[in-house]
Amino acid sequence: MQATEIRLAARPKGWPTLDNFEIVDVELPAPGEGQVVVRNLINSVDPYMRGRMSSAKSYAEPYAVGEVMTGTAVGEVVESTVDKLAKGDFVMHEAGWRSHAVLDAKRAVKVDPDAAPLGAYLGVLGMPGLTAYAGLLDVAEFREGDTVFVSGAAGAVGSLVGQLASLRGAGRVIGSAGSAEKVAHLTGELGFDAAFNYKDAPVTEQLRAAAPDGIDVYFDNVGGEHLEAAIDSITLHGRIAVCGMISQYNATEPTPAPRNLAQIIAKRFTIRGLLVRDHLHLREKFLAEVAPLVKAGKLRYSETTVDGLRNMPQAFLDMLGGANTGKMLVRVAN
């Protein structure tokens, strides 16, 4: 059986380009004992993957040059050597960036396509959803009545953070995004109380206007100017959860820390980093609360889907540039 793989051809310097990827057709090996063959249907691209393209030491192992890039995917079992997974079952796993995968059955999690669309398991009911849930409730210690500011608010994680805050009784939810269309999506469809385009004016000025009494929680997906603006507006004993800093991922020179970090002394705010793998114990609770909200239409989610595995590198680049609304997915076959 033939399979198509997307490999890291070279480590990027600054913004990645299509030259950093190589698309290769290979012969798929036969599964060994305890393994399954999965035909991938939907692959995920996520901001954290940019960090893994670098050789710098981080929380995740770097991709090796010349090897297949990996990420979350949902697919159909086409061959199995184990009893717990049969041909025709649908599974989620971490062997994305390819058309087919041979993997140990214990690395595959069965999913139900009748309970939710397959793409949802890579977004609202998957890692992004759990990240939003754990980051807001556990890391940022959200409290009813809080004013919450979310950067990257039209993305897969940010859009869920804002809605969860509203559903949990936030006093005010504010989001930033990179286009007028995304701003309209936040306030018109997702129920944010206010939103602004960070390209229109300095973030500090726009945030002050949107939250004249300050913010109690900041969920950071962007870093840089957004983090500095949040520190300017944070209230006494406010909480900041740092999920990502996408504005700095492609920097070729060291980026300055927020110039107003000294305000941590007077305001005594808390700033904590967030890795979803530290909160896997919340998964059952998260699904029990969020899945019914999604089914009832009370928690809305968006997907930007690109067709064709060979278009996956471009989809990844587009996601880094903010072209997606909600979760960026790649449908493997046209």
Side-chain angles (χ1 to χ4, degrees), residues 85-209:
L85 290 176
K87 182 177 179 180
D89 284 345
F90 294 92
V91 295
M92 180 173 63
H93 58 84
E94 295 294 325
W97 290 82
R98 65 188 94 198
S99 63
H100 297 75
V102 177
L103 64 154
D104 293 340
K106 62 184 178 182
R107 293 174 52 205
V109 178
K110 192 173 178 179
V111 297
D112 183 359
D114 294 325
L118 291 177
Y121 292 103
L122 301 178
V124 64
L125 298 180
M127 181 268 289
L130 180 57
T131 300
Y133 183 88
L136 178 69
L137 303 181
D138 200 7
V139 177
E141 299 178 351
F142 170 82
R143 302 161 193 161
E144 186 175 351
D146 278 345
T147 294
V148 177
F149 172 47
V150 186
S151 59
V157 174
S159 60
L160 301 178
V161 172
Q163 291 182 86
L164 285 171
S166 294
L167 290 167
R168 286 275 186 144
R172 187 166 172 79
V173 177
I174 302 156
S176 73
S179 71
E181 292 77 15
K182 289 182 179 181
V183 168
H185 174 66
L186 293 176
T187 56
E189 298 178 42
L190 301 188
F192 281 62
D193 297 292
F196 59 83
N197 183 347
Y198 68 85
K199 299 174 183 177
D200 287 347
V203 177
T204 297
E205 294 178 7
Q206 295 195 77
L207 182 56
R208 284 177 183 171

